[in-house]
């Protein structure tokens, strides 16, 4: 090779890329990247290097995509007191039907007290009492809010009559009050059973009310929220019976506690585990702590109600545990939904998953040859 050709060959070798596997070649870089990916993957040797940075779910100036509910803690408290009123009225009906006056009395008085608290919380959230009255001008079956107002009003009239009837024994036997003394017991019995008939709707309509919103985690949990709310209402009503009634009259309350706890724990478990990313708000942060506390107290209350049936102290502690569990569960569900509305990822990711599933279904449908279905002509 002549000197000029040797100089040109050396320059070409400097400009050309090094052979594969040597330092500076692309394959060498890939090999190093692969080893880093293997280290990130726990040494299993698989997994590609990501060329795209992790997605960040941002919205306009960090504002929520879905407007969070404007409800305050008045509504969370309303969820609890409404369920307590419903469960207590069912407890009163059970006590009256089985001849247990202590259960009947505790259920009737608690139902009226919880209903009064519910009305206060609802009106306080609305701002003015006139707004509650205006909602009674129409009955709209497709509106959970409108139906809830009517359910609350019907329940209130029946539960109020039942509770007032408990005052009959202290009225004088003669005169107008004597006539009221004789009329109140049958009126109270009728009101008590009417309230018990409306109680399931009062206990569960708030679940429909939450699920009918655009709040992601509430809407996704629409099949299970009625179970959670119905079970919580039964458990809280049973708690009243365990607190107020002697052990020999608390049998229906114990059975209510078992039934309500089963419904509540089943629904809460489904809400926290089967909704994908939308279950996260129910497991993390303050809502997660509230729901875990509710689960623990519910289990403890049921265990005490079943095992401590002969102890007045254990029964009372079990009742208190069930009431506290119901309160924690309602606030946990409420705060979980609010948290999902404030974070844009709980709106964006489920939407993308639904679009991807729909595109996959459309692609699968388009791949089916025409005439291959059952409706094709065979001959």
């Amino acid at each position: 090779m002549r000197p000029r050709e040797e100089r040109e060959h050396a320059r070409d070798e400097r400009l050309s890329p090094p052979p594969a596997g040597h330092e500076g070649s692309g394959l060498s870089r890939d090999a190093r990247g692969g080893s880093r990916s293997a280290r990130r993957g726990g040494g299993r040797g698989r997994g590609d290097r990501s060329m795209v940075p992790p997605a960040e779910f941002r919205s306009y100036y960090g504002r929520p995509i879905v407007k969070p509910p404007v409800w305050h803690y008045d509504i969370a408290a309303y969820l609890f007191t409404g369920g307590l009123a419903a469960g207590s009225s069912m407890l009163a009906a059970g006590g009256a039907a089985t001849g247990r006056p202590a259960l009947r009395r505790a259920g009737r008085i608690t139902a009226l007290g919880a209903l009064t608290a519910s009305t206060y919380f609802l009106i306080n959230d609305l701002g003015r009492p006139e707004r509650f009255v205006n909602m009674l001008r129409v009955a709209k079956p497709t509106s959970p809010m409108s139906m809830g107002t009517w359910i609350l009003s019907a329940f209130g009239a029946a539960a109020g009559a039942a509770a007032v009837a408990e005052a009959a024994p202290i009225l004088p036997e003669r005169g107008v009050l004597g006539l009221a003394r004789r009329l109140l017991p049958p009126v109270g019995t009728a009101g008590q059973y009417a309230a018990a008939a409306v109680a399931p709707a009062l206990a569960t309509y708030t679940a429909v009310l939450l699920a009918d919103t655009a709040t992601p985690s509430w809407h996704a949990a629409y099949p299970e929220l009625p179970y959670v709310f119905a079970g919580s209402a039964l458990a809280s009503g049973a708690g009243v019976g365990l607190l107020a009634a002697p052990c020999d009259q608390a049998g229906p309350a114990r059975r209510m506690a078992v039934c309500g706890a089963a419904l509540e724990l089943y629904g809460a478990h489904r809400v926290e585990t089967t909704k994908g990313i939308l279950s996260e708000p129910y497991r993390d942060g303050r809502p997660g702590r509230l729901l875990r506390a509710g689960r623990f107290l519910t289990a403890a209350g049921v265990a005490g109600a079943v095992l401590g049936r002969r102890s007045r102290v254990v029964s009372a502690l079990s009742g208190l545990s069930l009431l506290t569990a119901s309160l924690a569960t309602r606030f946990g569900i409420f705060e979980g939904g609010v948290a999902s509305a404030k974070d844009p990822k709980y709106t964006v990711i489920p939407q993308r998953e639904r679009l991807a599933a729909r595109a996959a279904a459309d692609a699968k449908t388009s791949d089916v040859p025409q005439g291959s279905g059952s409706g094709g002509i065979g001959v």
Side-chain angles (χ1 to χ4, degrees):
M1 185 180 294
R2 288 179 294 183
R4 180 176 181 183
E5 293 176 345
E6 291 178 351
R7 288 195 299 272
E8 291 179 351
H9 178 71
R11 185 185 63 185
D12 293 342
E13 285 186 341
R14 288 196 300 270
L15 295 178
S16 62
H22 288 71
E23 186 69 24
S25 69
L27 292 179
S28 175
R29 290 192 297 273
D30 292 344
R32 290 199 301 273
S35 63
R36 286 195 295 269
S37 299
R39 288 195 296 272
R40 287 196 298 268
R44 290 174 295 182
R46 55 189 176 86
D48 298 329
R49 181 177 56 179
S50 175
M51 302 301 293
V52 180
E56 295 183 5
F57 300 97
R58 294 178 178 176
S59 58
Y60 187 71
Y61 284 97
R63 298 178 65 86
I65 297 175
V66 175
K67 185 177 181 180
V70 296
W71 295 332
H72 302 292
Y73 284 116
D74 287 331
I75 295 301
Y78 172 75
L79 301 179
F80 167 68
T81 53
L84 177 61
S88 298
S89 68
M90 298 183 73
L91 177 77
T98 57
R100 293 174 168 88
L103 275 186
R104 183 205 67 211
R105 189 179 308 112
R108 287 180 175 182
I109 295 174
T110 304
L112 180 60
L115 178 74
T116 304
S118 296
T119 307
Y120 165 76
F121 288 130
L122 183 59
I123 292 176
N124 193 45
D125 183 77
L126 292 173
R128 293 198 303 268
E130 296 83 5
R131 291 177 177 172
F132 180 82
V133 177
N134 289 336
M135 293 175 68
L136 294 174
R137 292 187 304 173
V138 295
K140 191 175 181 181
T142 57
S143 170
M145 182 70 77
S146 175
M147 288 294 96
T149 306
W150 281 99
I151 289 170
L152 186 67
S153 302
F155 180 88
V164 171
E166 289 297 324
I170 64 174
L171 296 177
E173 297 182 355
R174 297 181 178 179
V176 178
L177 293 179
L179 178 62
R181 178 189 175 105
R182 292 189 293 274
L183 292 179
L184 277 178
V187 172
T189 301
Q192 165 192 284
Y193 288 116
V198 181
L202 179 65
T204 55
Y205 97 88
T206 46
V208 180
L209 180 67
L210 296 186
D212 197 38
T213 64
T215 302
S217 289
W218 286 345
H219 186 72
Y222 74 89
E224 289 85 11
L225 280 185
Y227 290 99
V228 178
F229 282 30
S232 178
L234 288 175
S236 60
V240 171
L242 292 171
L243 270 173
C247 293
D248 59 340
Q249 296 190 27
R254 284 192 287 270
R255 288 187 282 275
M256 274 184 64
V258 174
C259 181
L263 282 175
E264 182 181 345
L265 293 177
Y266 165 77
H269 176 73
R270 294 274 303 173
V271 165
E272 295 175 32
T273 58
T274 63
K275 305 303 171 189
I277 192 174
L278 293 178
S279 292
E280 281 185 5
Y282 296 122
R283 296 194 302 262
D284 300 337
R286 179 179 162 91
R289 291 193 295 273
L290 285 170
L291 289 174
R292 284 192 292 275
R295 263 200 317 272
F296 173 77
L297 291 171
T298 299
V302 170
V306 174
L307 300 177
R309 62 181 62 187
R310 295 182 179 177
S311 171
R312 187 74 184 86
V313 175
V314 174
S315 293
L317 291 175
S318 301
L320 185 62
S321 177
L322 290 172
L323 283 169
T324 310
S326 178
L327 181 66
T329 299
R330 302 295 181 128
F331 272 75
I333 293 291
F334 179 82
E335 293 194 9
V338 174
S340 71
K342 290 181 178 178
D343 194 334
K345 74 176 182 181
Y346 296 121
T347 304
V348 174
I349 291 182
Q351 283 182 343
R352 291 179 178 178
E353 290 176 346
R354 288 194 295 270
L355 288 174
R358 189 179 306 167
D362 293 342
K364 186 177 180 180
T365 304
S366 62
D367 289 340
V368 176
Q370 295 184 356
S372 62
S374 57
I377 299 175
V379 291

